[in-house]
Amino acid sequence: AGMAAAFLMEIRRGTQSALLVVRYAAAELPSAPVEVSVCTDSLQVRSGGSCDAAALPAGVSLAPSSCRGLRRLRGDGLHLRVRLRRPPPAADLVFTLRESLKPNKNYIFYCQSCGDVVVKDRKFLRVLPLPSENWSDLVEEWCCHPDPFARSPLHPQHGDCFLGDTYFLLNSGNESHKSKENTRVICKRCKTMLGETVSSDTVKYYVTEVIIQLAEGSFSPTPRSQFVQSMVAQCLLELSSAKSTFRFTIKGDDGKTYILIWLLNSDTLLVESLGSSSSHSVFTPFGDTFMPSSGPVGTWNAAKVLYQPCIKCRNKDLADAWENDMGVHPLKFPSETCLELLLILGLSTASLPPSLRCMNSFQVRNSFY
């Protein structure tokens, strides 16, 4: 039989502390007294004649004597805070696009949605980062004369790959997927938008739409929601680390702002027991996508973000204020992907206990990477 209770533990590596939520599938505790036992390497809940237990993942060790703040929240279950005996293993460094692309190696670019080959065997002589998206807006602050770069666009040659915050630029060569109606670059098989043409010989591919692998390897698909949130999280973490930027606007290729995102932290480790099937809808963020292949407990490295949707003129005043704030960094993706991301954010928020879903009018979600 499945467990009647499920555990959700949100660990902060930086403070070596954790919030533990014990929740029953029916969202209400049983009438019999409930006994919660916190051990160094396991959790246990007893009520009446039932007992639910879960072993903690390797590397996670609690200090039972530090438990404090036990309280019951209606609709949530039991909350308590506990310190760790030692910090859990550090998260693996995010595998960024800049690290995955190397000069003088052969790569194949696949459509992430269907696996069709987008760019055949291609070797780059140079892999270079592009300036920040809004670099041209700052030129007037740097120069006392007209923009010297206005007539010098950065277009790659055949052996170049230029990397932006959310895209990469390639010389189009013979691989053209351009739609006859406009400049959108689409997949020939599934018609998904992959990018857009920048000039007659330059194509922009978005990092959320294409999987890049070495030519000698084989294509390994990744579930769409997992891939999108992983790539977006990588963009947020890399930019926050490089530029000390923590607020972002998510814009579509149509120029509209879809989401406002505020990055809170990137040192979160989530530990979750899957519990009974009835509790999966509460705790599992994306259906079966993030369930571990085996075992009753799953762990995920996560970045915690606050967000506000901006579709249908929602939060227009706040969006306008962020638009004019130099401390906010814009990130551009295909409009369809922005809507996908908004759905993923909503599903993640719904998976949290109600008391953890909002903060200062923003909605909360954990972005896995």
Side-chain angles (χ1 to χ4, degrees):
M3 294 169 56
F7 305 98
L8 176 65
M9 183 179 294
E10 185 176 287
I11 296 173
R12 290 291 308 278
R13 289 184 173 90
T15 59
Q16 297 186 39
S17 61
L19 169 65
L20 171 63
V21 180
V22 181
R23 188 176 184 187
Y24 278 74
E28 292 293 341
L29 295 176
S31 56
V34 176
E35 178 183 320
V36 179
S37 298
V38 178
C39 304
T40 57
D41 58 356
S42 65
L43 303 170
Q44 188 177 89
V45 177
R46 293 179 180 273
S47 179
S50 65
C51 177
D52 297 318
L56 297 177
V60 177
S61 180
L62 304 179
S65 61
S66 67
C67 290
R68 57 183 175 82
L70 177 64
R71 57 177 178 157
R72 176 190 174 187
L73 296 181
R74 182 172 295 275
D76 277 18
L78 296 175
H79 285 231
L80 63 89
R81 293 190 175 275
V82 61
R83 295 195 61 80
L84 306 183
R85 294 182 64 188
R86 57 178 178 272
D92 293 334
L93 293 176
V94 177
F95 193 64
T96 64
L97 192 63
R98 287 176 172 80
E99 296 171 343
S100 62
L101 281 173
K102 303 293 183 183
N104 299 314
K105 291 184 178 292
N106 294 325
Y107 292 97
I108 296 179
F109 296 65
Y110 300 91
C111 170
Q112 195 282 323
S113 297
C114 70
D116 193 33
V117 175
V118 177
V119 178
K120 297 179 181 178
D121 202 10
R122 179 74 73 90
K123 179 185 290 187
F124 299 112
L125 301 179
R126 299 190 303 172
V127 179
L128 302 173
L130 287 167
S132 177
E133 288 295 301
N134 57 353
W135 70 275
S136 58
D137 298 335
L138 303 176
V139 170
E140 292 183 0
E141 305 294 331
W142 300 339
C143 303
C144 58
H145 50 279
D147 184 356
F149 309 108
R151 297 184 180 181
S152 304
L154 299 174
H155 289 170
Q157 301 302 310
H158 184 71
D160 295 338
C161 179
F162 293 168
L163 303 176
D165 292 337
T166 64
Y167 63 88
F168 48 91
L169 297 181
L170 299 182
N171 188 280
S172 57
N174 296 324
E175 293 96 358
S176 178
H177 294 244
K178 179 180 177 181
S179 168
K180 294 180 180 180
E181 292 78 16
N182 51 44
T183 61
R184 290 163 63 92
V185 177
I186 62 174
C187 173
K188 292 179 179 178
R189 178 190 290 174
C190 68
K191 307 306 179 184
T192 296
M193 179 183 174
L194 305 175
E196 54 195 83
T197 56
V198 176
S199 68
S200 59
D201 61 353
T202 302
V203 176
K204 173 195 291 184
Y205 291 106
Y206 289 102
V207 298
T208 53
E209 313 307 317
V210 176
I211 291 180
I212 306 170
Q213 295 186 346
L214 290 170
E216 57 265 26
S218 58
F219 176 73
S220 55
T222 304
R224 177 66 181 165
S225 61
Q226 182 177 344
F227 184 81
V228 168
Q229 69 167 333
S230 176
M231 295 309 297
V232 172
Q234 288 185 30
C235 292
L236 299 181
L237 296 182
E238 187 170 359
L239 286 168
S240 65
S241 175
K243 304 178 184 298
S244 296
T245 298
F246 303 98
R247 290 182 296 160
F248 304 87
T249 56
I250 304 298
K251 294 177 171 291
D253 62 287
D254 56 4
K256 297 179 181 178
T257 298
Y258 283 78
I259 313 170
L260 308 178
I261 290 183
W262 196 326
L263 177 64
L264 285 184
N265 68 67
S266 58
D267 66 345
T268 297
L269 176 66
L270 291 181
V271 180
E272 177 189 3
S273 69
L274 299 185
S276 63
S277 58
S278 59
S279 66
H280 287 176
S281 61
V282 175
F283 281 96
T284 303
F286 304 105
D288 293 337
T289 302
F290 285 94
M291 285 188 182
S293 57
S294 62
V297 176
T299 60
W300 300 273
N301 293 312
K304 182 174 286 294
V305 302
L306 305 180
Y307 70 96
Q308 290 278 22
C310 295
I311 59 174
K312 298 182 179 180
C313 296
R314 294 179 62 182
N315 300 301
K316 186 178 186 303
D317 292 343
L318 182 60
D320 290 343
W322 280 34
E323 187 75 26
N324 298 319
D325 191 330
M326 292 299 293
V328 178
H329 194 88
L331 296 175
K332 181 180 176 183
F333 298 99
S335 300
E336 296 88 343
T337 300
C338 295
L339 292 174
E340 285 182 279
L341 179 60
L342 190 56
L343 176 60
I344 292 171
L345 290 168
L347 290 173
S348 178
T349 299
S351 74
L352 295 172
S355 66
L356 302 181
R357 294 176 186 175
C358 294
M359 182 184 295
N360 297 334
S361 79
F362 280 76
Q363 297 183 67
V364 180
R365 71 94 59 164
N366 293 303
S367 181
F368 305 108
Y369 61 89

